[in-house]
Protein backbone atom coordinates (compact mmCIF):
# COMPACT_ATOMS: atom_id res chain seq x y z
CA UNK A 1 0.00 0.00 0.00
CA UNK A 2 1.31 3.49 -0.84
CA UNK A 3 2.00 5.81 2.06
CA UNK A 4 -0.81 8.23 2.98
CA UNK A 5 0.05 11.91 3.27
CA UNK A 6 -2.15 14.90 4.10
CA UNK A 7 -1.13 18.45 3.12
CA UNK A 8 -2.69 21.52 4.72
CA UNK A 9 -2.89 25.11 3.56
CA UNK A 10 -3.14 27.42 0.61
CA UNK A 11 -4.23 26.55 -2.89
CA UNK A 12 -4.60 29.48 -5.24
CA UNK A 13 -3.86 31.08 -8.60
CA UNK A 14 -0.67 33.05 -9.27
CA UNK A 15 -1.86 35.89 -11.51
CA UNK A 16 0.91 36.98 -13.88
CA UNK A 17 0.43 39.81 -16.42
CA UNK A 18 0.02 37.32 -19.27
CA UNK A 19 -1.24 34.13 -17.62
CA UNK A 20 -2.55 32.50 -14.44
CA UNK A 21 -0.82 29.47 -12.91
CA UNK A 22 -2.23 27.17 -10.25
CA UNK A 23 -0.09 27.31 -7.12
CA UNK A 24 0.35 27.44 -3.38
CA UNK A 25 3.22 25.50 -1.81
CA UNK A 26 1.10 22.87 0.01
CA UNK A 27 -0.90 22.16 -3.13
CA UNK A 28 2.25 21.88 -5.24
CA UNK A 29 3.76 19.45 -2.73
CA UNK A 30 0.55 17.40 -2.73
CA UNK A 31 0.51 17.20 -6.52
CA UNK A 32 4.15 16.16 -6.71
CA UNK A 33 3.54 13.47 -4.09
CA UNK A 34 0.54 12.20 -6.05
CA UNK A 35 2.68 12.21 -9.20
CA UNK A 36 5.20 10.02 -7.35
CA UNK A 37 2.44 7.50 -6.63
CA UNK A 38 1.65 8.26 -3.00
CA UNK A 39 -1.87 8.44 -1.55
CA UNK A 40 -2.40 12.16 -0.92
CA UNK A 41 -5.14 14.30 0.57
CA UNK A 42 -5.30 18.11 0.48
CA UNK A 43 -6.97 20.13 3.23
CA UNK A 44 -7.86 23.56 1.92
CA UNK A 45 -10.70 25.74 0.69
CA UNK A 46 -11.63 27.38 -2.60
CA UNK A 47 -14.41 29.79 -3.44
CA UNK A 48 -17.67 28.86 -5.07
CA UNK A 49 -16.56 30.71 -8.19
CA UNK A 50 -15.03 30.20 -11.62
CA UNK A 51 -11.46 30.17 -10.31
CA UNK A 52 -12.40 27.62 -7.66
CA UNK A 53 -13.99 25.28 -10.18
CA UNK A 54 -10.92 25.55 -12.41
CA UNK A 55 -8.62 24.81 -9.49
CA UNK A 56 -10.59 21.72 -8.45
CA UNK A 57 -10.53 20.47 -12.04
CA UNK A 58 -6.78 21.10 -12.16
CA UNK A 59 -5.94 19.00 -9.08
CA UNK A 60 -8.25 16.18 -10.16
CA UNK A 61 -6.18 15.80 -13.34
CA UNK A 62 -3.29 14.78 -11.08
CA UNK A 63 -5.42 12.17 -9.36
CA UNK A 64 -5.80 14.22 -6.19
CA UNK A 65 -9.14 13.72 -4.46
CA UNK A 66 -11.06 16.81 -3.38
CA UNK A 67 -12.98 15.33 -0.44
CA UNK A 68 -11.03 17.45 2.07
CA UNK A 69 -11.14 20.64 -0.01
CA UNK A 70 -13.95 22.89 1.16
CA UNK A 71 -15.95 25.18 -1.12
CA UNK A 72 -16.77 28.55 0.42
CA UNK A 73 -19.81 30.56 -0.56
CA UNK A 74 -18.51 33.51 1.48
CA UNK A 75 -14.87 33.89 0.42
CA UNK A 76 -13.27 33.87 -3.05
CA UNK A 77 -10.65 31.48 -4.36
CA UNK A 78 -7.19 32.67 -3.35
CA UNK A 79 -5.04 34.66 -5.73
CA UNK A 80 -1.52 36.10 -5.72
CA UNK A 81 -0.84 39.10 -7.94
CA UNK A 82 2.64 38.72 -9.41
CA UNK A 83 4.60 41.70 -10.71
CA UNK A 84 7.51 40.28 -12.71
CA UNK A 85 8.45 43.45 -14.57
CA UNK A 86 11.76 43.41 -12.67
CA UNK A 87 13.07 39.85 -13.03
CA UNK A 88 15.60 40.43 -10.25
CA UNK A 89 12.96 41.65 -7.81
CA UNK A 90 9.65 39.89 -8.44
CA UNK A 91 6.90 41.21 -6.20
CA UNK A 92 3.94 39.24 -4.86
CA UNK A 93 0.66 40.43 -3.36
CA UNK A 94 -1.06 37.59 -1.49
CA UNK A 95 -4.64 38.81 -1.77
CA UNK A 96 -7.05 38.85 1.16
CA UNK A 97 -9.71 37.70 1.77
CA UNK A 98 -9.19 34.21 0.41
CA UNK A 99 -11.08 30.98 0.96
CA UNK A 100 -7.95 29.13 2.18
CA UNK A 101 -7.76 31.56 5.10
CA UNK A 102 -11.07 30.17 6.34
CA UNK A 103 -10.65 26.39 6.50
CA UNK A 104 -13.18 24.95 8.93
CA UNK A 105 -12.29 21.95 11.10
CA UNK A 106 -14.37 18.80 10.49
CA UNK A 107 -14.29 15.32 12.08
CA UNK A 108 -13.51 13.76 8.67
CA UNK A 109 -10.50 16.02 8.35
CA UNK A 110 -9.15 14.95 11.71
CA UNK A 111 -9.81 11.29 10.95
CA UNK A 112 -7.82 11.58 7.71
CA UNK A 113 -4.85 13.12 9.51
CA UNK A 114 -4.94 10.49 12.28
CA UNK A 115 -4.72 7.71 9.71
CA UNK A 116 -1.98 9.35 7.63
CA UNK A 117 1.71 8.47 7.62
CA UNK A 118 2.65 12.16 7.49
CA UNK A 119 1.02 15.59 7.80
CA UNK A 120 2.65 18.50 5.93
CA UNK A 121 1.90 22.12 6.85
CA UNK A 122 3.40 25.62 6.69
CA UNK A 123 3.18 29.02 8.32
CA UNK A 124 1.36 30.90 5.55
CA UNK A 125 -1.68 28.65 5.83
CA UNK A 126 -2.06 29.85 9.44
CA UNK A 127 -2.02 33.60 8.78
CA UNK A 128 -5.76 33.85 9.56
CA UNK A 129 -7.32 32.86 12.88
CA UNK A 130 -9.87 30.48 11.34
CA UNK A 131 -7.39 28.32 9.44
CA UNK A 132 -4.88 28.63 12.29
CA UNK A 133 -7.43 27.27 14.78
CA UNK A 134 -8.18 24.37 12.44
CA UNK A 135 -4.48 23.63 11.98
CA UNK A 136 -3.78 23.72 15.70
CA UNK A 137 -6.48 21.11 16.30
CA UNK A 138 -5.00 18.85 13.62
CA UNK A 139 -1.51 19.24 15.07
CA UNK A 140 -2.74 17.59 18.27
CA UNK A 141 -3.04 14.27 16.42
CA UNK A 142 -0.42 11.54 16.72
CA UNK A 143 1.12 11.66 13.24
CA UNK A 144 4.52 12.51 11.76
CA UNK A 145 4.38 16.30 11.33
CA UNK A 146 6.47 17.95 8.62
CA UNK A 147 6.77 21.74 8.76
CA UNK A 148 7.65 23.40 5.46
CA UNK A 149 7.99 26.73 7.21
CA UNK A 150 7.54 28.88 4.07
CA UNK A 151 7.97 32.30 5.75
CA UNK A 152 6.19 35.10 3.91
CA UNK A 153 6.52 38.52 5.62
CA UNK A 154 4.43 39.92 7.21
CA UNK A 155 2.33 36.78 7.72
CA UNK A 156 4.09 35.29 10.74
CA UNK A 157 4.87 36.19 14.33
CA UNK A 158 7.00 34.92 17.20
CA UNK A 159 3.93 33.33 18.77
CA UNK A 160 2.95 31.53 15.57
CA UNK A 161 6.49 30.28 14.95
CA UNK A 162 6.85 29.01 18.53
CA UNK A 163 3.63 27.06 18.18
CA UNK A 164 4.33 25.53 14.77
CA UNK A 165 7.98 24.71 15.44
CA UNK A 166 7.02 23.19 18.78
CA UNK A 167 4.58 20.77 17.12
CA UNK A 168 6.80 19.69 14.21
CA UNK A 169 8.83 16.48 14.03
CA UNK A 170 10.68 17.47 10.85
CA UNK A 171 11.56 21.00 9.74
CA UNK A 172 12.24 21.91 6.12
CA UNK A 173 13.79 25.34 5.69
CA UNK A 174 15.89 27.36 3.24
CA UNK A 175 18.91 29.60 3.83
CA UNK A 176 16.91 32.83 3.93
CA UNK A 177 14.42 31.37 6.39
CA UNK A 178 17.24 30.15 8.63
CA UNK A 179 18.53 33.73 8.72
CA UNK A 180 15.09 34.99 9.72
CA UNK A 181 14.81 32.38 12.47
CA UNK A 182 18.29 33.32 13.67
CA UNK A 183 16.92 36.77 14.54
CA UNK A 184 13.99 35.27 16.45
CA UNK A 185 15.99 32.69 18.38
CA UNK A 186 19.50 34.15 18.55
CA UNK A 187 21.00 31.30 16.55
CA UNK A 188 24.73 30.96 15.83
CA UNK A 189 25.99 32.35 12.52
CA UNK A 190 27.40 29.00 11.36
CA UNK A 191 24.77 26.88 9.61
CA UNK A 192 25.51 23.60 11.34
CA UNK A 193 25.56 25.22 14.79
CA UNK A 194 22.29 27.03 14.01
CA UNK A 195 20.60 23.79 12.94
CA UNK A 196 21.93 22.05 16.04
CA UNK A 197 20.48 24.72 18.33
CA UNK A 198 17.13 24.67 16.54
CA UNK A 199 16.98 20.88 16.85
CA UNK A 200 17.75 21.07 20.56
CA UNK A 201 15.20 23.84 21.18
CA UNK A 202 12.32 22.06 19.45
CA UNK A 203 13.38 18.39 19.65
CA UNK A 204 13.18 17.74 15.89
CA UNK A 205 13.79 14.29 14.44
CA UNK A 206 15.74 16.11 11.75
CA UNK A 207 16.09 19.42 9.94
CA UNK A 208 16.44 19.64 6.16
CA UNK A 209 17.81 22.85 4.66
CA UNK A 210 17.78 23.69 0.95
CA UNK A 211 20.72 25.73 -0.32
CA UNK A 212 19.61 26.79 -3.79
CA UNK A 213 22.22 25.97 -6.43
CA UNK A 214 24.46 24.57 -3.66
CA UNK A 215 22.14 21.63 -3.00
CA UNK A 216 20.77 20.70 0.41
CA UNK A 217 21.67 19.20 3.78
CA UNK A 218 20.12 17.14 6.56
CA UNK A 219 20.97 17.66 10.22
CA UNK A 220 20.08 14.71 12.46
CA UNK A 221 21.35 13.51 15.85
CA UNK A 222 24.46 15.67 15.77
CA UNK A 223 25.45 14.71 12.23
CA UNK A 224 25.07 16.65 9.01
CA UNK A 225 24.82 15.08 5.56
CA UNK A 226 24.99 17.30 2.50
CA UNK A 227 24.45 17.02 -1.24
CA UNK A 228 25.89 19.48 -3.79
CA UNK A 229 22.77 19.40 -5.94
CA UNK A 230 22.57 18.78 -9.68
CA UNK A 231 23.60 21.63 -11.99
CA UNK A 232 20.96 22.17 -14.68
CA UNK A 233 19.89 24.83 -17.12
CA UNK A 234 17.12 26.51 -15.17
CA UNK A 235 13.94 27.35 -17.03
CA UNK A 236 11.62 28.11 -14.10
CA UNK A 237 12.37 27.78 -10.38
CA UNK A 238 8.66 27.87 -9.42
CA UNK A 239 7.76 24.63 -7.65
CA UNK A 240 11.32 23.28 -7.50
CA UNK A 241 11.43 23.55 -3.71
CA UNK A 242 8.01 21.92 -3.46
CA UNK A 243 9.17 19.06 -5.67
CA UNK A 244 12.27 18.71 -3.48
CA UNK A 245 10.08 18.36 -0.38
CA UNK A 246 7.85 15.79 -2.06
CA UNK A 247 10.91 13.77 -3.02
CA UNK A 248 12.31 14.13 0.48
CA UNK A 249 9.11 12.95 2.19
CA UNK A 250 8.58 10.03 -0.18
CA UNK A 251 12.09 8.68 0.46
CA UNK A 252 11.98 9.42 4.19
CA UNK A 253 8.80 7.38 4.56
CA UNK A 254 10.50 4.57 2.64
CA UNK A 255 13.22 4.60 5.33
CA UNK A 256 16.00 5.48 2.93
CA UNK A 257 19.33 6.80 4.21
CA UNK A 258 19.87 10.59 4.45
CA UNK A 259 22.27 10.33 1.49
CA UNK A 260 19.67 8.63 -0.72
CA UNK A 261 16.91 10.96 0.46
CA UNK A 262 18.92 14.02 -0.51
CA UNK A 263 20.06 12.52 -3.80
CA UNK A 264 16.51 11.86 -4.98
CA UNK A 265 15.08 15.11 -3.62
CA UNK A 266 17.83 17.21 -5.21
CA UNK A 267 17.41 15.44 -8.55
CA UNK A 268 13.63 15.93 -8.52
CA UNK A 269 13.94 19.61 -7.59
CA UNK A 270 16.54 20.13 -10.33
CA UNK A 271 14.32 18.37 -12.88
CA UNK A 272 11.35 20.61 -12.11
CA UNK A 273 13.60 23.67 -12.44
CA UNK A 274 14.29 22.65 -16.06
CA UNK A 275 10.57 22.64 -16.85
CA UNK A 276 7.86 25.31 -16.97
CA UNK A 277 5.35 25.68 -14.14
CA UNK A 278 5.23 24.53 -10.55
CA UNK A 279 3.76 21.09 -11.22
CA UNK A 280 4.94 19.89 -14.66
CA UNK A 281 4.57 16.33 -15.85
CA UNK A 282 7.62 14.06 -15.62
CA UNK A 283 8.62 10.44 -15.07
CA UNK A 284 11.01 8.69 -12.71
CA UNK A 285 13.19 8.06 -15.75
CA UNK A 286 13.43 11.84 -16.14
CA UNK A 287 14.66 12.09 -12.54
CA UNK A 288 17.35 9.48 -13.25
CA UNK A 289 18.34 11.36 -16.40
CA UNK A 290 19.12 14.48 -14.32
CA UNK A 291 21.77 12.49 -12.47
CA UNK A 292 23.48 11.60 -15.74
CA UNK A 293 23.75 15.17 -17.08
Amino acid sequence: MPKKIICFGEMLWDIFPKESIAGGAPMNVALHLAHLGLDVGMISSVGDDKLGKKLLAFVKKYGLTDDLIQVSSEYPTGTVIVDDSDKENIRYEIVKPAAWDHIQWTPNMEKAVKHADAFIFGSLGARNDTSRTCLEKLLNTNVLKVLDINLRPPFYSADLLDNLLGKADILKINEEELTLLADFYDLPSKMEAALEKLSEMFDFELVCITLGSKGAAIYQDGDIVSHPGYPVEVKDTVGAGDAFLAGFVSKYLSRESPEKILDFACALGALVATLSGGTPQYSLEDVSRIKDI
Side-chain angles (χ1 to χ4, degrees), residues 54 85 129 180 211 250:
K54 285 179 62 178
S85 55
D129 286 345
L180 292 170
L211 305 169
S250 69

Side-chain angles (χ1 to χ4, degrees), residues 215-268:
I218 287 175
Y219 178 88
Q220 185 177 30
D221 297 330
D223 295 321
I224 191 160
V225 175
S226 60
H227 191 290
Y230 287 99
V232 294
E233 184 175 336
V234 175
K235 187 171 186 178
D236 182 350
T237 59
V238 176
D242 303 324
F244 174 94
L245 179 58
F248 171 91
V249 170
S250 69
K251 292 301 182 182
Y252 181 84
L253 292 178
S254 296
R255 301 183 182 277
E256 297 283 3
S257 68
E259 291 83 0
K260 289 185 177 180
I261 292 171
L262 285 177
D263 185 59
F264 181 76
C266 285
L268 183 56

Side-chain angles (χ1 to χ4, degrees), residues 56-73:
L56 291 176
F58 177 81
V59 300
K60 286 179 181 177
K61 287 195 300 183
Y62 283 77
L64 192 68
T65 61
D66 63 354
D67 55 321
L68 298 176
I69 301 173
Q70 299 171 357
V71 178
S72 172
S73 59

Side-chain angles (χ1 to χ4, degrees), residues 16-279:
F16 290 82
K18 295 182 179 179
E19 63 178 337
S20 296
I21 299 175
M27 187 194 78
N28 287 345
V29 173
L31 295 182
H32 283 294
L33 285 166
H35 199 50
L36 292 173
L38 286 86
D39 183 4
V40 189
M42 178 73 202
I43 295 176
S44 190
S45 180
V46 299
D48 186 13
D49 50 30
K50 185 177 180 180
L51 287 178
K53 291 178 174 64
K54 285 179 62 178
L55 202 48
L56 291 176
F58 177 81
V59 300
K60 286 179 181 177
K61 287 195 300 183
Y62 283 77
L64 192 68
T65 61
D66 63 354
D67 55 321
L68 298 176
I69 301 173
Q70 299 171 357
V71 178
S72 172
S73 59
E74 186 175 358
Y75 299 100
T77 299
T79 56
V80 174
I81 307 301
V82 183
D83 179 358
D84 62 353
S85 55
D86 179 358
K87 300 300 182 182
E88 299 298 321
N89 187 30
I90 298 176
R91 291 178 291 178
Y92 302 89
E93 178 192 354
I94 306 174
V95 178
K96 296 179 72 173
W100 58 266
D101 279 321
H102 300 272
I103 304 170
Q104 304 284 337
W105 178 91
T106 67
N108 284 343
M109 189 184 291
E110 184 166 300
K111 182 179 179 181
V113 173
K114 283 182 177 178
H115 288 88
D117 295 289
F119 179 56
I120 301 174
F121 62 103
S123 65
L124 184 57
R127 70 172 181 172
N128 179 272
D129 286 345
T130 303
S131 289
R132 178 175 177 174
T133 298
C134 177
L135 176 58
E136 288 174 344
K137 289 182 179 180
L138 297 176
L139 288 175
N140 288 327
T141 56
N142 185 23
V143 63
L144 179 73
K145 303 173 185 73
V146 181
L147 172 57
D148 179 16
I149 200 162
N150 196 23
L151 297 179
R152 293 289 183 268
F155 301 118
Y156 60 87
S157 64
D159 175 64
L160 176 63
L161 293 180
D162 282 346
N163 192 20
L164 298 185
L165 290 164
K167 294 292 180 66
D169 300 303
I170 293 174
L171 172 65
K172 183 261 186 181
I173 195 170
N174 63 33
E175 283 182 290
E176 182 181 353
E177 290 163 345
L178 182 60
T179 300
L180 292 170
L181 288 188
D183 292 335
F184 274 92
Y185 298 111
D186 191 28
L187 302 178
S189 58
K190 297 283 189 179
M191 183 187 76
E192 184 171 349
L195 297 180
E196 180 179 19
K197 184 172 180 180
L198 268 179
S199 294
E200 290 174 351
M201 289 176 65
F202 295 104
D203 194 27
F204 296 129
E205 289 187 16
L206 64 80
V207 180
C208 180
I209 182 168
T210 54
L211 305 169
S213 62
K214 297 174 291 184
I218 287 175
Y219 178 88
Q220 185 177 30
D221 297 330
D223 295 321
I224 191 160
V225 175
S226 60
H227 191 290
Y230 287 99
V232 294
E233 184 175 336
V234 175
K235 187 171 186 178
D236 182 350
T237 59
V238 176
D242 303 324
F244 174 94
L245 179 58
F248 171 91
V249 170
S250 69
K251 292 301 182 182
Y252 181 84
L253 292 178
S254 296
R255 301 183 182 277
E256 297 283 3
S257 68
E259 291 83 0
K260 289 185 177 180
I261 292 171
L262 285 177
D263 185 59
F264 181 76
C266 285
L268 183 56
L271 171 64
V272 170
T274 69
L275 305 170
S276 295
T279 51

